[in-house]
Amino acid sequence: MTQAWEQDAIFAPHRVLRTPLGFDEKHTFDDVGPAALVTVAGRPALAAFGLPTDAGSYYCVVDLETGERVPDRAALHGSAGPRAAAAGMCGDRAVLALLLKTPAEGDDCFRTLRLRDAWSGEPLDVEFPRFRLDSPIAVATIDGRGVVAVGPTVCDAGDGSVIVQRDGLGWIKALVEYQGRLLHLCYDVRLRLHTLRDALTGDTVGEPFTGRDSGEVATVVVGGHLWVVFPYGRQASGALTAWDVTAGCEVSLSALWDVDLVGDRRIEDLRLSAQGDEITALVQWGYQGRNGTEVWSPGPGGRRLRGVDLGKSSALALAVLDGRTTAVTGYDNRALTVFDATSGVLVPSPYYAGPIQPEIQKRKCSFADVGGRGALLVCGGTTGVVWDFESGLPVRTAPFGAGVQTIAAGVLDGRAVFAVLTGRSDTVPTALRVWDPQISRTVFYREIPAESDRFHKWPGPVVFVEFAGRPTVARRFNRTIEFYDARTGELAGAVSAENLKMANVLAAGRIGDRTLLAAGDSSGTVQVWDASTGHEAGPVLRGHRIGDGLPKDTSEWVSAIAFVQVAGRDTVVTGGDDMTVRLWDLATGEAIGTPFAAHTGKITALLPTGAGDETAVISVAATGAPRMWMLGAPPLDTGHTAWITALAAGVRDGRAAFASSSHDGTIRLWEAATGRITGTITVGPVRVTGVAFGGPGRDILIGVTADGLVQRWDANSGTALGVPLHRGDGEMYAVGTVTVDGRSLAGAAGADRTLRIWDVVTGEQVSELPVGRTVTALSMAATGDRLLAYVHGSAVGDERHQADSVAVLWDVFAREPVTEPVYLSDGGEVAVLGLMNGRPVVLHGRDANEEDHEWDVTTMDDLVLLDALTDDVIAALDQHDHGRNGATALVTVAGRTLVVAGFEKGAAILDERMREVGDHYREHRTSMVNNVAAIEADGGLVVASSDHANAVRIWRPSR
């Protein structure tokens, strides 16, 4: 065991990475993409790519043994783009300033100021105080001293110290350097006047003036005169005017762009800069440049020239730096672009690579050890960037041009290289190149045939592999795999992939002295070849899920493949969108053991490694912690391999037990005392949508399925009891049980909008009640001579305008609703009926139609406990920090009724006043709790909870 990995308490001896890959308690980026094992400072490390959090990088590197994070020192912003930007000269140095959103201590209003060298992009090591809220910023040299201003605060650009802070200025619309002074342009909302004040002395400059009272302004110094322009909300075709502060009069601006080319787009933001009388404009069309962000420069004959369209943007700056008019745009996801408008070219810095979009993580990035140092190549547009992990900095650019589809890393003649596949458009030809990052040189570039229309729209996988004794790059070409010589680009051969619908993943590796190539597709099929001969290396691995005939959603895409040798046995490891990792015998094509099912997202990488003397594979998923599976360990049933639909508590072999149902076609039985799986009932190739315990001894299982089956099983033996209680055309979604006058009853409902009730022992149907809606959850209780059923399901008719789902309490024997419907939405969609000290109660999320408050996002995850018959509120859980509601249950222990509640951030036990009892259970880590059940066992409470990772955890609450 190392510091980086801890043994999983449920799935020992398998392990979980302690260090979060992301930058929050959820152990995740927004979505983790590719991952690899690399070398950093001579030590093994795990590197993963993912879209960043607010304060994070888009990659994460963790030392494989110590768990320490390798720092990113690039000082780029996180997922949120800069809130403001400015550029200017600090002495003889061109400086770029960015105001960034950096939430801290639960406060979303904090901002951080960062400086960069404008030409190189390198961060400047200057610490500033934190600021609150957004403000205009400026960079200037005043009296020979470089300063940076953020709203009313002026700081020294060299050491970050505060020079002066002016209060009471009102709305600061802009900061401008004029005649050796830094000025605040302030607006008095009451008087509707604009005033210029010296930022350092506070002195008023010139006379107040009116102008437009709303929106952003632009300032520019033309021929020694300071002009203030009010462009916000204007159309491109309209004439712009400015207030000449120097002359004290209004002036008309000449056209800043070619209206015939621009059309009538709306101006969102504008920056102006002038050299002499020639004005350059940087204009944002529409909110955050949704219609483009363009640079317009003066041309010959008074014409206006469009320099570049920089796309969507979050912040703009325009200034004359070292005599060159320079435009700056900031984007979401750590991106900046700097454009030299004087020469008409983008500034070539690895820090200025343009926006990183979500689709990049699918194929447009790859990891390698370049010169013995871990590195990442990522391409967000026409230019790729290489990041060096040891320094934590971007170190070089790679101008690949437009249309990059896929990037893959490999080794050629002992050097790390990258293969880049481009194309997928009529204007960009399909081409393959190999690029050497150490010398920034293209080894070869070759245009190759495009795939047919059916395949061409899906980015094709690429991998380096030695084929027939030659180093090659393999790529999908329709229903074949082609191999191109990695040195020359010549076609070296091809193999048929007719067993695959469409190869979406390629992987190469060695087992012993054999080089293998594998391809996987969307149907769960994997085909493996011996790369030295091109012949198939074993049977086709059919179905990523074990068991033919399962519904479509249980046969998922293969998303990752690796090769390992376990105890002398050649094996293939696969991961899929179904969130499972599976092991296959290469020679026989048979699955080895049971799937490893503990992840919360699709598998994005499988990385063979060693753990002492043991063979292991690290699996990385789109969300949640990476895991290390010890492949030589005895087979371990990790539980369900698809969505868990229900949990129930009862008895098996005289002991407290739980049952779980799943879309994988099974019902699992768990011993409450130990948490062990004690049995599996295979229902068939169908989704099992619900399960409940019933009968006098609570040892009869009632399950419902997506094909309309309602069936009983003996929980002790697992055998079916009699004929099905029901088999219909409509899907069944919910089942519940209740005891009435000593008689055990079971109810089931689903898509046919009908609640049916049977005697659990005899199978006799007792009641059939139309409820008017598709039912997704059902609970029942008996009080006196009344049988109550709480039906939770889809909104119908006009209800759809009020809520996502509706819960209604029915008197089954009277065949009528008892109370008004409860309207539930999003985080509040839970509803359950039970008895509390003999009193029927309902527990549900906040009713969107309650008259005493307005439903909104801050209350949707509240829980309310009410008297079922009177609707009187007994207690409520609100203002909690557990996240969205996922599941609820009521259980009686030692005569006391408790609430078990599952949330986005774990599970909690609540008393009858909805107060938490004991500690919050957080072992579900990053996954939403979607089902809960509880039972009294050995004198205490035992809880079962399941999550979106298809895991069941059984635990005892702290006292």
Side-chain angles (χ1 to χ4, degrees):
M1 197 72 62
T2 67
Q3 292 174 273
W5 301 86
E6 62 182 350
Q7 186 165 281
D8 190 297
I10 302 297
F11 304 133
H14 307 297
R15 304 175 186 179
V16 182
L17 184 67
R18 297 175 189 267
T19 308
L21 279 191
F23 294 84
D24 54 30
E25 73 281 0
K26 290 188 176 182
H27 214 314
T28 176
F29 292 103
D30 289 345
D31 197 1
V32 178
L37 297 178
V38 296
T39 304
V40 179
R43 297 177 58 84
L46 171 64
F49 184 91
L51 295 184
T53 56
D54 280 344
S57 168
Y58 50 59
Y59 70 82
C60 180
V61 182
V62 176
D63 188 291
L64 206 59
E65 297 177 358
T66 67
E68 293 183 5
R69 192 191 308 278
V70 178
D72 171 5
R73 300 183 177 89
L76 287 170
H77 53 276
S79 59
R83 311 298 292 180
M89 298 301 297
C90 284
D92 59 358
R93 185 171 202 169
V95 172
L96 169 61
L98 300 169
L99 189 66
L100 309 177
K101 180 179 177 181
T102 51
E105 302 165 5
D107 191 330
D108 202 41
C109 297
F110 282 113
R111 303 290 184 263
T112 297
L113 183 67
R114 287 180 179 161
L115 302 185
R116 321 189 77 83
D117 182 286
W119 300 126
S120 71
E122 294 178 358
L124 304 182
D125 188 17
V126 184
E127 290 292 328
F128 294 90
R130 284 192 300 186
F131 302 93
R132 288 189 62 81
L133 302 177
D134 298 332
S135 299
I137 63 176
V139 178
T141 299
I142 307 298
D143 297 329
R145 183 183 190 182
V147 299
V148 182
V150 179
T153 305
V154 182
C155 299
D156 188 296
D159 59 20
S161 62
V162 175
I163 300 172
V164 65
Q165 180 166 327
R166 299 285 171 194
D167 296 323
L169 296 177
W171 178 9
I172 301 174
K173 284 192 172 185
L175 286 152
V176 56
E177 186 178 3
Y178 177 58
Q179 293 183 345
R181 306 170 78 175
L182 182 63
L183 305 179
H184 283 122
L185 175 59
C186 308
Y187 181 68
D188 188 312
V189 177
R190 184 176 59 86
L191 299 177
R192 296 191 173 185
L193 288 176
H194 293 83
T195 304
L196 285 166
R197 296 182 183 276
D198 189 299
L200 293 175
T201 67
D203 296 338
T204 300
V205 178
E207 296 297 323
F209 56 96
T210 55
R212 299 186 69 185
D213 59 358
S214 63
E216 303 294 329
V217 300
T219 61
V220 62
V221 178
V222 181
H225 286 234
L226 173 59
W227 291 358
V228 178
V229 185
F230 299 87
Y232 177 77
R234 297 287 184 92
Q235 301 301 122
S237 58
L240 290 178
T241 59
W243 181 260
D244 185 328
V245 174
T246 308
C249 63
E250 188 174 85
V251 296
S252 296
L253 273 69
S254 301
L256 296 176
W257 40 77
D258 188 327
V259 175
D260 292 336
L261 293 178
V262 169
D264 205 25
R265 287 184 277 184
R266 179 179 179 274
I267 303 170
E268 178 71 17
D269 202 357
L270 178 67
R271 296 291 183 268
L272 301 174
S273 182
Q275 297 200 60
D277 294 332
E278 301 286 351
I279 300 176
T280 299
L282 172 61
V283 58
Q284 191 181 62
W285 302 116
Y287 177 69
Q288 291 201 341
R290 65 178 55 180
N291 297 318
T293 302
E294 296 178 335
V295 177
W296 285 88
S297 302
R303 292 187 299 115
R304 302 296 293 179
L305 303 178
R306 180 161 48 193
V308 67
D309 184 352
L310 298 167
K312 294 181 180 180
S313 56
S314 66
L316 312 178
L318 185 66
V320 176
L321 305 178
D322 293 323
R324 297 149 69 179
T325 302
T326 307
V328 178
T329 51
Y331 310 87
D332 292 346
N333 296 330
R334 296 174 58 77
L336 298 169
T337 298
V338 178
F339 177 72
D340 184 339
T342 300
S343 60
V345 297
L346 293 169
V347 174
S349 164
Y351 292 92
Y352 302 153
I356 301 296
Q357 304 294 350
E359 65 269 15
I360 288 172
Q361 65 186 330
K362 296 176 182 177
R363 300 195 187 277
K364 297 182 183 180
C365 60
S366 190
F367 299 93
D369 275 350
V370 177
R373 298 164 66 103
L376 164 68
L377 172 61
V378 57
C379 188
T382 60
T383 302
V385 178
V386 177
W387 288 76
D388 175 72
F389 295 143
E390 193 165 323
S391 65
L393 300 173
V395 292
R396 60 183 60 87
T397 58
F400 295 139
V404 172
Q405 280 193 58
T406 308
I407 297 175
V411 177
L412 180 63
D413 300 328
R415 297 169 65 91
V417 292
F418 291 98
V420 181
L421 181 66
T422 56
R424 291 187 65 207
S425 76
D426 294 335
T427 58
V428 180
T430 300
L432 180 67
R433 81 179 77 207
V434 170
W435 183 72
D436 187 328
Q438 288 184 258
I439 56 177
S440 297
R441 184 178 68 85
T442 297
V443 177
F444 78 80
Y445 172 87
R446 184 184 185 92
E447 293 188 10
I448 57 179
E451 292 186 282
S452 65
D453 290 343
R454 175 188 171 191
F455 295 87
H456 189 56
K457 62 182 179 179
W458 302 101
V462 170
V463 70
F464 282 87
V465 62
E466 186 174 307
F467 175 75
R470 301 167 68 179
T472 66
V473 179
R475 68 124 178 183
R476 180 193 72 206
F477 181 66
N478 299 329
R479 298 291 285 274
T480 67
I481 307 299
E482 291 186 334
F483 302 88
Y484 291 86
D485 189 293
R487 296 188 183 94
T488 67
E490 295 176 348
L491 182 64
V495 297
S496 171
E498 289 297 321
N499 292 303
L500 306 177
K501 290 183 178 179
M502 180 186 299
N504 62 282
V505 59
L506 289 174
R510 292 185 66 86
I511 298 181
D513 59 356
R514 285 202 300 172
T515 299
L516 301 171
L517 175 72
D521 72 2
S522 60
S523 68
T525 302
V526 176
Q527 189 170 354
V528 184
W529 297 268
D530 185 319
S532 63
T533 64
H535 298 152
E536 291 190 37
V540 174
L541 312 179
R542 294 193 178 277
H544 199 245
R545 289 198 176 280
I546 299 172
D548 292 332
L550 285 169
K552 184 177 180 181
D553 71 342
T554 60
S555 184
E556 302 281 359
W557 291 63
V558 176
S559 54
I561 306 173
F563 302 99
V564 294
Q565 193 168 64
V566 182
R569 192 178 186 184
D570 293 349
T571 62
V572 182
V573 188
T574 61
D577 283 11
D578 60 8
M579 304 186 290
T580 67
V581 175
R582 298 167 186 268
L583 195 61
W584 308 83
D585 187 301
L586 177 59
T588 67
E590 297 296 322
I592 300 173
T594 55
F596 298 122
H599 278 291
T600 60
K602 69 177 183 180
I603 309 302
T604 58
L606 292 169
L607 311 171
T609 187
D613 296 331
E614 300 182 69
T615 301
V617 66
I618 295 171
S619 55
V620 180
T623 59
R627 294 179 173 271
M628 183 184 292
W629 304 100
M630 318 309 292
L631 300 182
L636 175 68
D637 190 345
T638 56
H640 291 291
T641 58
W643 185 266
I644 296 173
T645 55
L647 288 171
V651 176
R652 185 172 196 249
D653 295 330
R655 297 180 60 81
F658 294 106
S660 55
S661 57
S662 169
H663 282 185
D664 65 8
T666 68
I667 296 171
R668 301 288 182 116
L669 291 154
W670 311 74
E671 187 175 61
T674 64
R676 292 187 302 107
I677 296 174
T678 58
T680 299
I681 297 172
T682 301
V683 180
V686 65
R687 297 187 295 273
V688 185
T689 51
V691 67
F693 278 96
R698 296 198 61 78
D699 59 357
I700 296 175
L701 287 169
I702 304 92
V704 296
T705 69
D707 65 355
L709 174 72
V710 182
Q711 177 66 56
R712 295 169 296 160
W713 289 271
D714 184 323
N716 302 307
S717 65
T719 57
L721 298 176
V723 298
L725 300 178
H726 177 76
R727 185 180 287 281
D729 296 330
E731 296 182 67
M732 285 290 182
Y733 296 125
V735 61
T737 58
V738 65
T739 299
V740 181
D741 296 328
R743 187 182 189 189
S744 180
L745 303 179
D752 67 358
R753 304 185 175 194
T754 302
L755 170 62
R756 296 176 177 84
I757 298 176
W758 299 268
D759 185 300
V760 172
V761 176
T762 66
E764 174 192 359
Q765 184 166 328
V766 174
S767 179
E768 185 171 307
L769 174 66
V771 294
R773 70 184 70 251
T774 296
V775 180
T776 55
L778 170 68
S779 51
M780 299 191 296
T783 175
D785 59 352
R786 303 177 80 174
L787 173 58
L788 303 175
Y790 204 30
V791 170
H792 180 203
S794 61
V796 295
D798 291 340
E799 292 176 339
R800 295 190 181 97
H801 301 296
Q802 298 169 272
D804 296 323
S805 64
V806 179
V808 181
L809 182 67
W810 287 81
D811 184 321
V812 175
F813 296 146
R815 304 179 66 79
E816 63 184 13
V818 177
T819 57
E820 292 297 315
V822 175
Y823 297 95
L824 305 171
S825 291
D826 200 10
E829 291 187 79
V830 292
V832 66
L833 166 71
L835 295 177
M836 181 173 285
N837 303 320
R839 176 189 188 185
V841 295
V842 292
L843 178 69
H844 59 67
R846 186 69 74 176
D847 188 345
N849 262 16
E850 278 192 24
E851 297 178 0
D852 59 346
H853 80 284
E854 182 180 351
W855 182 90
D856 60 27
V857 70
T858 62
T859 62
M860 69 182 183
D861 56 359
D862 294 349
L863 287 172
V864 184
L865 181 68
L866 307 97
D867 184 294
L869 302 179
T870 67
D871 260 356
D872 293 337
V873 175
I874 300 171
L877 175 70
D878 55 19
Q879 304 299 317
H880 63 81
D881 63 351
H882 306 323
R884 291 179 298 135
N885 301 320
T888 54
L890 293 164
V891 61
T892 300
V893 180
R896 182 186 185 192
T897 301
L898 298 173
V899 174
V900 182
F903 301 98
E904 190 175 17
K905 299 179 182 179
I909 309 299
L910 312 171
D911 65 13
E912 63 276 5
R913 302 305 303 170
M914 301 297 283
R915 298 169 300 198
E916 287 201 43
V917 179
D919 295 332
H920 196 75
Y921 182 76
R922 300 185 183 277
E923 288 304 310
H924 286 278
R925 301 288 180 91
T926 64
S927 190
M928 177 86 171
V929 175
N930 57 2
N931 295 284
V932 292
I935 194 170
E936 186 175 6
D938 300 326
L941 179 66
V942 181
V943 179
S945 49
S946 67
D947 59 31
H948 286 184
N950 309 329
V952 174
R953 296 190 180 272
I954 297 174
W955 48 281
R956 291 182 181 270
S958 60
R959 297 183 183 276

